[in-house]
Amino acid sequence: MNTVLKTVILGAPGSGKGTISSRIIKAFNMDYISSGDRLRQHIKEKTPIGLEASKYIKDGKLVPDDLMIKFISEELKKVKSKPWLLDGFPRTLFQAQAFWKEEKLDLAVNLVVPFSVIMERVEGRMVHLQSGRVYNSSFNIPKVPGVDDVTGEPLIKREDDKPEVVKKRLEVYDKMTRPVIEFYREKGILKDFHGETSDAISPQVLKELSNYMRLEGSQ
Ligand code: G5P
Ligand code: MG
């Protein structure tokens, strides 16, 4: 029987999914797939998927469902032997319903952060494209400005972090992704985590996950 823990992390753009996910994978031996990070890697490499996805991402729109569902199920084929954490997928009710037919998830972590704190966070964000590590000019500041702490490689600004695009992404989230939260709530696997900072939220998430890890270890 396949008993690996299957988890998704949900939350608005800038709510701290990437930041908290890196703390989760540091604490537990999990595979991590961020749909946004993987798409940005494809864009950088100018693959056919990257060229198609960039048309939507640059304007803060969602990449079409059929492309995303195929993309993520291919990515998941690579990581099935360990517990995994998925960040950024599913993003629409259609994706959630299609995905549920393939994978029955154990836990959906939902980060609830006020929109007012999100806008200023995203303005200061810098990312290391290859690893997905995220930094900020006022939080998780890189040791050397503009450089990844681990590899020494340059950090970049995301193209979709311009204020007008962030606003659009928050609107899309409200309209398209909130139904995903309700979908998982009805399935009985959703856990909400409220807070204004990742430092306040991540200990709650790690505690919750450690309960699931214990359960999994006892099977
Ligand atoms: P992504 O890449 O999935 P979003 O919009 O869901 O993008 P995003 O922007 O990556 O989410 P996050 O991961 O939730 O946000 O947040 P983060 O990066 O950890 O934190 C944001 C900033 O705040 C960072 O600088 C961090 O250092 C800082 N920070 C964190 N915590 C704190 C704190 O406590 N205090 C302070 N001061 N700062 C903090 O998707 C991108 C695009 O890809 C496409 C879409 O076009 C999407 O717009 N896409 C999909 N399209 C369709 N379907 C899908 N399933 C898709 N997946 C991706
Ligand atoms: Mg992210």
Side-chain angles (χ1 to χ4, degrees), residues 161-205:
D161 274 349
K162 297 180 189 118
E164 65 279 13
V165 182
V166 175
K167 205 165 151 270
K168 170 79 184 163
R169 285 161 56 204
L170 287 168
E171 284 165 14
V172 168
Y173 169 80
D174 236 354
K175 189 163 164 231
M176 303 301 289
T177 309
R178 284 205 191 276
V180 175
I181 293 167
E182 294 319 312
F183 177 82
Y184 289 133
R185 205 184 300 283
E186 279 166 26
K187 297 285 178 203
I189 61 158
L190 190 93
K191 294 266 155 60
D192 291 316
F193 297 90
H194 294 258
E196 294 206 357
T197 66
S198 295
D199 288 347
I201 295 177
S202 51
Q204 306 170 46
V205 177

Side-chain angles (χ1 to χ4, degrees), residues 10-17 111-125 136 138 160-163 165-167 169-171 173 178 195-198 201:
L10 307 168
S15 58
K17 299 183 296 296
L111 307 181
V112 189
V113 178
F115 276 14
S116 53
V117 298
I118 284 178
M119 287 302 289
E120 62 178 67
R121 275 188 189 184
V122 174
E123 255 172 55
R125 171 161 55 190
N136 197 279
S138 62
D160 61 351
D161 274 349
K162 297 180 189 118
V165 182
V166 175
K167 205 165 151 270
R169 285 161 56 204
L170 287 168
E171 284 165 14
Y173 169 80
R178 284 205 191 276
E196 294 206 357
T197 66
S198 295
I201 295 177

Side-chain angles (χ1 to χ4, degrees), residues 17-18 32 34 37 40 87 125 158:
K17 299 183 296 296
Y32 172 60
S34 156
D37 289 352
R40 282 184 285 280
D87 162 359
R125 171 161 55 190
R158 276 172 48 173

Side-chain angles (χ1 to χ4, degrees), residues 45-100:
E45 289 164 9
K46 298 194 167 62
T47 68
I49 289 175
L51 292 172
E52 182 63 18
S54 75
K55 293 185 209 160
Y56 302 90
I57 293 180
K58 68 178 175 41
D59 294 330
K61 294 179 185 154
L62 292 179
V63 176
D65 285 337
D66 51 350
L67 193 160
M68 283 314 301
I69 291 165
K70 212 162 148 249
F71 180 58
I72 292 296
S73 59
E74 286 303 313
E75 293 291 319
L76 271 175
K77 280 186 192 147
K78 301 174 195 164
V79 299
K80 278 219 170 137
S81 56
K82 280 206 281 188
W84 48 255
L85 174 67
L86 195 49
D87 162 359
F89 181 93
R91 242 343 195 272
T92 64
L93 186 57
F94 187 84
Q95 291 178 13
Q97 287 166 334
F99 191 48
W100 190 258

